Amino acid sequence: MLKSARIAVFVSGGGTNLQALLDAQRDGKIPHGEIALVISSQACAYALERAEKANVPAHTVPSSLIQHDFEAAIELLLEQYKIDVIVLAGFLSILSENFTKKWPRRILNIHPSLIPSFCGRGMYGLKVHEAALARGVKVTGATVHFVNEIPDGGEIILQKAVEIEEGDTPETLQRRVMEQAEWILLPQAAEIMPSMVCIIHFPPVWRKFFAYVKQKQYNFTLYDGMIIHRHTHRVNNKLNDSAK
Ligand code: GRF
């Protein structure tokens, strides 16, 4: 009854981070997860072509929709594809608290700086690297973090530093941060997150029983007919291991 976690990847642009995830999956580096869906907030995103080439179902939910409809359309797709965890990979829309609170520690995001520097609302894409160069820092990097209602404010999972070089432009720096940090960290985190939850399907009769047991405050979540057990101890070990 044990299964790997079904991952949805949210994108908005070129999708190089999505490509890193697809390559990692092909190379067997995400054994606890399966990329089962790609959702783009832009119909013209090249990321959609990358998904198609990898035979992963891809859908557009336009960011021009009002927030409520945008998130309702995304939720329908997540339900339809029985998604367990979400990876934001260059996704430019901000998800509301109403959405993120339904997915505690099950959405992760990659940000192209060392949080808490150069992050938060309005800090995305080249703007992040422009700000790092303008401040004159000597080291920047990338951060993978869980997503909550605060933009770039969730718990940090992984970070990697990247040196700034003489003569860097926002474009050269963006490229180096992607190559040396983002494309390495994101697949690692995409493996860590699903391995943090043990997903077991149960027939309906058992669900009633577990719904009752859940009231007794056991440490698991009942989600759409599945038991998602949180291995807190194992999570901490995993995070420590990957920091080595
Ligand atoms: C990346 O720097 C990512 O960190 C940021 O958007 C950029 C574009 O990524 N959030 P991609 O090529 O679309 O994956």
Side-chain angles (χ1 to χ4, degrees), residues 11-18 47 50 89-92 109-112 124-125 129 174 178 182-183:
V11 296
S12 298
T16 60
N17 279 295
L18 169 65
R50 296 181 191 269
F91 183 63
L92 295 181
N109 178 46
I110 181 119
H111 182 76
Y124 60 88
H129 305 294
Q174 180 183 49
M178 283 174 158
E182 292 182 54
W183 301 341

PDB file of all heavy atoms in Angstrom, residues 11-18 47 50 89-92 109-112 124-125 129 174 178 182-183, ligand 1:
ATOM      1  N   VAL A  11       5.129  26.426 -12.581  1.00  0.00           N
ATOM      2  CA  VAL A  11       6.114  27.206 -13.339  1.00  0.00           C
ATOM      3  C   VAL A  11       5.456  28.453 -13.932  1.00  0.00           C
ATOM      4  O   VAL A  11       4.219  28.562 -13.960  1.00  0.00           O
ATOM      5  CB  VAL A  11       6.694  26.354 -14.500  1.00  0.00           C
ATOM      6  CG1 VAL A  11       7.467  25.157 -13.979  1.00  0.00           C
ATOM      7  CG2 VAL A  11       5.565  25.896 -15.446  1.00  0.00           C
ATOM      8  N   SER A  12       6.312  29.365 -14.430  1.00  0.00           N
ATOM      9  CA  SER A  12       5.779  30.554 -15.118  1.00  0.00           C
ATOM     10  C   SER A  12       6.614  30.932 -16.333  1.00  0.00           C
ATOM     11  O   SER A  12       6.201  31.780 -17.121  1.00  0.00           O
ATOM     12  CB  SER A  12       5.765  31.774 -14.182  1.00  0.00           C
ATOM     13  OG  SER A  12       4.928  31.560 -13.081  1.00  0.00           O
ATOM     14  N   GLY A  13       7.820  30.358 -16.474  1.00  0.00           N
ATOM     15  CA  GLY A  13       8.713  30.864 -17.525  1.00  0.00           C
ATOM     16  C   GLY A  13       9.474  29.777 -18.241  1.00  0.00           C
ATOM     17  O   GLY A  13       8.909  28.761 -18.666  1.00  0.00           O
ATOM     18  N   GLY A  14      10.784  29.974 -18.353  1.00  0.00           N
ATOM     19  CA  GLY A  14      11.628  29.089 -19.158  1.00  0.00           C
ATOM     20  C   GLY A  14      11.686  27.657 -18.659  1.00  0.00           C
ATOM     21  O   GLY A  14      11.896  26.725 -19.440  1.00  0.00           O
ATOM     22  N   GLY A  15      11.569  27.466 -17.373  1.00  0.00           N
ATOM     23  CA  GLY A  15      11.491  26.112 -16.837  1.00  0.00           C
ATOM     24  C   GLY A  15      12.827  25.382 -16.731  1.00  0.00           C
ATOM     25  O   GLY A  15      12.860  24.146 -16.778  1.00  0.00           O
ATOM     26  N   THR A  16      13.929  26.109 -16.540  1.00  0.00           N
ATOM     27  CA  THR A  16      15.205  25.397 -16.383  1.00  0.00           C
ATOM     28  C   THR A  16      15.219  24.606 -15.074  1.00  0.00           C
ATOM     29  O   THR A  16      15.821  23.534 -15.006  1.00  0.00           O
ATOM     30  CB  THR A  16      16.405  26.365 -16.422  1.00  0.00           C
ATOM     31  OG1 THR A  16      16.286  27.322 -15.365  1.00  0.00           O
ATOM     32  CG2 THR A  16      16.500  27.078 -17.762  1.00  0.00           C
ATOM     33  N   ASN A  17      14.564  25.121 -14.061  1.00  0.00           N
ATOM     34  CA  ASN A  17      14.480  24.364 -12.805  1.00  0.00           C
ATOM     35  C   ASN A  17      13.594  23.127 -12.973  1.00  0.00           C
ATOM     36  O   ASN A  17      13.894  22.065 -12.424  1.00  0.00           O
ATOM     37  CB  ASN A  17      13.965  25.259 -11.676  1.00  0.00           C
ATOM     38  CG  ASN A  17      15.068  26.127 -11.104  1.00  0.00           C
ATOM     39  OD1 ASN A  17      16.019  25.629 -10.517  1.00  0.00           O
ATOM     40  ND2 ASN A  17      14.971  27.432 -11.316  1.00  0.00           N
ATOM     41  N   LEU A  18      12.512  23.260 -13.724  1.00  0.00           N
ATOM     42  CA  LEU A  18      11.687  22.087 -14.039  1.00  0.00           C
ATOM     43  C   LEU A  18      12.552  21.051 -14.756  1.00  0.00           C
ATOM     44  O   LEU A  18      12.478  19.851 -14.467  1.00  0.00           O
ATOM     45  CB  LEU A  18      10.498  22.495 -14.920  1.00  0.00           C
ATOM     46  CG  LEU A  18       9.725  21.333 -15.536  1.00  0.00           C
ATOM     47  CD1 LEU A  18       9.030  20.491 -14.458  1.00  0.00           C
ATOM     48  CD2 LEU A  18       8.694  21.834 -16.552  1.00  0.00           C
ATOM     49  N   ALA A  47       8.437  26.253 -20.325  1.00  0.00           N
ATOM     50  CA  ALA A  47       8.372  25.113 -19.399  1.00  0.00           C
ATOM     51  C   ALA A  47       7.308  24.099 -19.842  1.00  0.00           C
ATOM     52  O   ALA A  47       7.481  22.888 -19.641  1.00  0.00           O
ATOM     53  CB  ALA A  47       8.071  25.618 -17.989  1.00  0.00           C
ATOM     54  N   ARG A  50       8.825  21.707 -22.201  1.00  0.00           N
ATOM     55  CA  ARG A  50       9.715  20.764 -21.507  1.00  0.00           C
ATOM     56  C   ARG A  50       8.890  19.627 -20.901  1.00  0.00           C
ATOM     57  O   ARG A  50       9.290  18.463 -20.950  1.00  0.00           O
ATOM     58  CB  ARG A  50      10.493  21.479 -20.402  1.00  0.00           C
ATOM     59  CG  ARG A  50      11.455  22.552 -20.906  1.00  0.00           C
ATOM     60  CD  ARG A  50      12.174  23.165 -19.707  1.00  0.00           C
ATOM     61  NE  ARG A  50      12.910  24.360 -20.034  1.00  0.00           N
ATOM     62  CZ  ARG A  50      14.182  24.398 -20.408  1.00  0.00           C
ATOM     63  NH1 ARG A  50      14.865  23.280 -20.541  1.00  0.00           N
ATOM     64  NH2 ARG A  50      14.795  25.546 -20.649  1.00  0.00           N
ATOM     65  N   ALA A  89       8.741  26.148  -9.028  1.00  0.00           N
ATOM     66  CA  ALA A  89      10.023  26.227  -9.740  1.00  0.00           C
ATOM     67  C   ALA A  89       9.964  27.401 -10.714  1.00  0.00           C
ATOM     68  O   ALA A  89       9.596  27.228 -11.875  1.00  0.00           O
ATOM     69  CB  ALA A  89      10.299  24.911 -10.472  1.00  0.00           C
ATOM     70  N   GLY A  90      10.290  28.594 -10.226  1.00  0.00           N
ATOM     71  CA  GLY A  90      10.176  29.768 -11.088  1.00  0.00           C
ATOM     72  C   GLY A  90       8.714  30.165 -11.289  1.00  0.00           C
ATOM     73  O   GLY A  90       8.334  30.668 -12.341  1.00  0.00           O
ATOM     74  N   PHE A  91       7.905  29.945 -10.236  1.00  0.00           N
ATOM     75  CA  PHE A  91       6.469  30.279 -10.294  1.00  0.00           C
ATOM     76  C   PHE A  91       6.304  31.690  -9.747  1.00  0.00           C
ATOM     77  O   PHE A  91       6.699  31.972  -8.608  1.00  0.00           O
ATOM     78  CB  PHE A  91       5.705  29.273  -9.435  1.00  0.00           C
ATOM     79  CG  PHE A  91       4.207  29.428  -9.453  1.00  0.00           C
ATOM     80  CD1 PHE A  91       3.478  29.257 -10.623  1.00  0.00           C
ATOM     81  CD2 PHE A  91       3.517  29.701  -8.276  1.00  0.00           C
ATOM     82  CE1 PHE A  91       2.094  29.369 -10.630  1.00  0.00           C
ATOM     83  CE2 PHE A  91       2.133  29.811  -8.273  1.00  0.00           C
ATOM     84  CZ  PHE A  91       1.426  29.643  -9.458  1.00  0.00           C
ATOM     85  N   LEU A  92       5.745  32.577 -10.575  1.00  0.00           N
ATOM     86  CA  LEU A  92       5.777  34.003 -10.232  1.00  0.00           C
ATOM     87  C   LEU A  92       4.545  34.518  -9.494  1.00  0.00           C
ATOM     88  O   LEU A  92       4.496  35.684  -9.122  1.00  0.00           O
ATOM     89  CB  LEU A  92       6.020  34.836 -11.497  1.00  0.00           C
ATOM     90  CG  LEU A  92       7.388  34.619 -12.161  1.00  0.00           C
ATOM     91  CD1 LEU A  92       7.546  35.487 -13.385  1.00  0.00           C
ATOM     92  CD2 LEU A  92       8.524  34.878 -11.175  1.00  0.00           C
ATOM     93  N   ASN A 109       9.688  25.974  -2.411  1.00  0.00           N
ATOM     94  CA  ASN A 109      10.003  26.984  -3.417  1.00  0.00           C
ATOM     95  C   ASN A 109      11.512  27.156  -3.487  1.00  0.00           C
ATOM     96  O   ASN A 109      12.204  26.985  -2.490  1.00  0.00           O
ATOM     97  CB  ASN A 109       9.352  28.318  -3.019  1.00  0.00           C
ATOM     98  CG  ASN A 109       9.672  29.428  -4.000  1.00  0.00           C
ATOM     99  OD1 ASN A 109       9.584  29.248  -5.215  1.00  0.00           O
ATOM    100  ND2 ASN A 109      10.066  30.585  -3.493  1.00  0.00           N
ATOM    101  N   ILE A 110      12.010  27.518  -4.683  1.00  0.00           N
ATOM    102  CA  ILE A 110      13.422  27.881  -4.803  1.00  0.00           C
ATOM    103  C   ILE A 110      13.513  29.374  -5.025  1.00  0.00           C
ATOM    104  O   ILE A 110      12.770  29.942  -5.837  1.00  0.00           O
ATOM    105  CB  ILE A 110      14.132  27.094  -5.926  1.00  0.00           C
ATOM    106  CG1 ILE A 110      15.611  27.475  -6.011  1.00  0.00           C
ATOM    107  CG2 ILE A 110      13.479  27.304  -7.282  1.00  0.00           C
ATOM    108  CD1 ILE A 110      16.543  26.365  -5.777  1.00  0.00           C
ATOM    109  N   HIS A 111      14.406  30.014  -4.256  1.00  0.00           N
ATOM    110  CA  HIS A 111      14.605  31.458  -4.390  1.00  0.00           C
ATOM    111  C   HIS A 111      16.085  31.725  -4.674  1.00  0.00           C
ATOM    112  O   HIS A 111      16.954  31.163  -3.991  1.00  0.00           O
ATOM    113  CB  HIS A 111      14.175  32.182  -3.105  1.00  0.00           C
ATOM    114  CG  HIS A 111      14.323  33.660  -3.215  1.00  0.00           C
ATOM    115  ND1 HIS A 111      13.434  34.444  -3.922  1.00  0.00           N
ATOM    116  CD2 HIS A 111      15.292  34.492  -2.762  1.00  0.00           C
ATOM    117  CE1 HIS A 111      13.848  35.696  -3.881  1.00  0.00           C
ATOM    118  NE2 HIS A 111      14.970  35.753  -3.189  1.00  0.00           N
ATOM    119  N   PRO A 112      16.393  32.606  -5.647  1.00  0.00           N
ATOM    120  CA  PRO A 112      17.787  32.764  -6.069  1.00  0.00           C
ATOM    121  C   PRO A 112      18.611  33.738  -5.225  1.00  0.00           C
ATOM    122  O   PRO A 112      19.291  34.614  -5.779  1.00  0.00           O
ATOM    123  CB  PRO A 112      17.660  33.229  -7.520  1.00  0.00           C
ATOM    124  CG  PRO A 112      16.378  33.977  -7.556  1.00  0.00           C
ATOM    125  CD  PRO A 112      15.472  33.325  -6.546  1.00  0.00           C
ATOM    126  N   TYR A 124      12.063  38.931  -7.446  1.00  0.00           N
ATOM    127  CA  TYR A 124      12.064  37.709  -8.261  1.00  0.00           C
ATOM    128  C   TYR A 124      12.934  37.948  -9.495  1.00  0.00           C
ATOM    129  O   TYR A 124      13.258  39.091  -9.850  1.00  0.00           O
ATOM    130  CB  TYR A 124      10.629  37.319  -8.676  1.00  0.00           C
ATOM    131  CG  TYR A 124       9.930  38.386  -9.482  1.00  0.00           C
ATOM    132  CD1 TYR A 124      10.063  38.439 -10.867  1.00  0.00           C
ATOM    133  CD2 TYR A 124       9.164  39.358  -8.860  1.00  0.00           C
ATOM    134  CE1 TYR A 124       9.442  39.441 -11.607  1.00  0.00           C
ATOM    135  CE2 TYR A 124       8.537  40.359  -9.580  1.00  0.00           C
ATOM    136  CZ  TYR A 124       8.682  40.377 -10.958  1.00  0.00           C
ATOM    137  OH  TYR A 124       8.084  41.379 -11.679  1.00  0.00           O
ATOM    138  N   GLY A 125      13.340  36.847 -10.113  1.00  0.00           N
ATOM    139  CA  GLY A 125      14.104  36.904 -11.361  1.00  0.00           C
ATOM    140  C   GLY A 125      15.349  37.772 -11.249  1.00  0.00           C
ATOM    141  O   GLY A 125      16.061  37.753 -10.239  1.00  0.00           O
ATOM    142  N   HIS A 129      19.174  39.571  -8.395  1.00  0.00           N
ATOM    143  CA  HIS A 129      20.613  39.662  -8.684  1.00  0.00           C
ATOM    144  C   HIS A 129      21.035  41.126  -8.820  1.00  0.00           C
ATOM    145  O   HIS A 129      22.146  41.483  -8.415  1.00  0.00           O
ATOM    146  CB  HIS A 129      20.925  38.840  -9.927  1.00  0.00           C
ATOM    147  CG  HIS A 129      20.457  37.415  -9.798  1.00  0.00           C
ATOM    148  ND1 HIS A 129      21.025  36.548  -8.885  1.00  0.00           N
ATOM    149  CD2 HIS A 129      19.440  36.745 -10.382  1.00  0.00           C
ATOM    150  CE1 HIS A 129      20.384  35.388  -8.940  1.00  0.00           C
ATOM    151  NE2 HIS A 129      19.418  35.488  -9.843  1.00  0.00           N
ATOM    152  N   GLN A 174      22.891  35.557 -12.504  1.00  0.00           N
ATOM    153  CA  GLN A 174      21.711  34.682 -12.504  1.00  0.00           C
ATOM    154  C   GLN A 174      22.087  33.294 -13.027  1.00  0.00           C
ATOM    155  O   GLN A 174      21.724  32.268 -12.460  1.00  0.00           O
ATOM    156  CB  GLN A 174      20.605  35.274 -13.379  1.00  0.00           C
ATOM    157  CG  GLN A 174      19.360  34.412 -13.409  1.00  0.00           C
ATOM    158  CD  GLN A 174      18.287  34.968 -14.336  1.00  0.00           C
ATOM    159  OE1 GLN A 174      18.574  35.297 -15.486  1.00  0.00           O
ATOM    160  NE2 GLN A 174      17.081  35.091 -13.841  1.00  0.00           N
ATOM    161  N   MET A 178      22.065  29.724 -10.975  1.00  0.00           N
ATOM    162  CA  MET A 178      21.279  28.572 -11.444  1.00  0.00           C
ATOM    163  C   MET A 178      22.164  27.327 -11.539  1.00  0.00           C
ATOM    164  O   MET A 178      21.823  26.273 -11.011  1.00  0.00           O
ATOM    165  CB  MET A 178      20.680  28.872 -12.816  1.00  0.00           C
ATOM    166  CG  MET A 178      19.479  29.785 -12.778  1.00  0.00           C
ATOM    167  SD  MET A 178      19.012  30.168 -14.480  1.00  0.00           S
ATOM    168  CE  MET A 178      17.315  30.629 -14.249  1.00  0.00           C
ATOM    169  N   GLU A 182      20.842  26.461  -7.896  1.00  0.00           N
ATOM    170  CA  GLU A 182      19.428  26.110  -8.055  1.00  0.00           C
ATOM    171  C   GLU A 182      19.213  24.714  -8.636  1.00  0.00           C
ATOM    172  O   GLU A 182      18.414  23.937  -8.124  1.00  0.00           O
ATOM    173  CB  GLU A 182      18.734  27.141  -8.956  1.00  0.00           C
ATOM    174  CG  GLU A 182      18.611  28.502  -8.319  1.00  0.00           C
ATOM    175  CD  GLU A 182      17.868  29.493  -9.206  1.00  0.00           C
ATOM    176  OE1 GLU A 182      16.756  29.191  -9.635  1.00  0.00           O
ATOM    177  OE2 GLU A 182      18.418  30.581  -9.477  1.00  0.00           O
ATOM    178  N   TRP A 183      19.935  24.409  -9.724  1.00  0.00           N
ATOM    179  CA  TRP A 183      19.691  23.127 -10.401  1.00  0.00           C
ATOM    180  C   TRP A 183      20.204  21.944  -9.605  1.00  0.00           C
ATOM    181  O   TRP A 183      19.903  20.797  -9.913  1.00  0.00           O
ATOM    182  CB  TRP A 183      20.316  23.133 -11.808  1.00  0.00           C
ATOM    183  CG  TRP A 183      19.790  24.220 -12.701  1.00  0.00           C
ATOM    184  CD1 TRP A 183      18.622  24.922 -12.548  1.00  0.00           C
ATOM    185  CD2 TRP A 183      20.409  24.745 -13.870  1.00  0.00           C
ATOM    186  NE1 TRP A 183      18.494  25.847 -13.557  1.00  0.00           N
ATOM    187  CE2 TRP A 183      19.569  25.759 -14.382  1.00  0.00           C
ATOM    188  CE3 TRP A 183      21.601  24.459 -14.552  1.00  0.00           C
ATOM    189  CZ2 TRP A 183      19.869  26.489 -15.533  1.00  0.00           C
ATOM    190  CZ3 TRP A 183      21.905  25.173 -15.711  1.00  0.00           C
ATOM    191  CH2 TRP A 183      21.051  26.179 -16.194  1.00  0.00           C
TER     192      TRP A 183
HETATM  193  C1  GRF B   1      15.034  31.206 -11.337  1.00  0.00           C
HETATM  194  O1  GRF B   1      16.097  32.026 -10.940  1.00  0.00           O
HETATM  195  C2  GRF B   1      14.210  30.877 -10.122  1.00  0.00           C
HETATM  196  O2  GRF B   1      14.940  30.788  -8.956  1.00  0.00           O
HETATM  197  C3  GRF B   1      13.316  32.048 -10.066  1.00  0.00           C
HETATM  198  O3  GRF B   1      12.961  32.268 -11.427  1.00  0.00           O
HETATM  199  C4  GRF B   1      14.072  31.991 -12.234  1.00  0.00           C
HETATM  200  C5  GRF B   1      13.636  31.324 -13.514  1.00  0.00           C
HETATM  201  O4  GRF B   1      13.611  29.941 -13.416  1.00  0.00           O
HETATM  202  N1  GRF B   1      12.290  31.910  -9.104  1.00  0.00           N
HETATM  203  P1  GRF B   1      13.204  28.896 -14.549  1.00  0.00           P
HETATM  204  O5  GRF B   1      14.266  28.886 -15.645  1.00  0.00           O
HETATM  205  O6  GRF B   1      11.854  29.276 -15.135  1.00  0.00           O
HETATM  206  O7  GRF B   1      13.180  27.581 -13.823  1.00  0.00           O
END
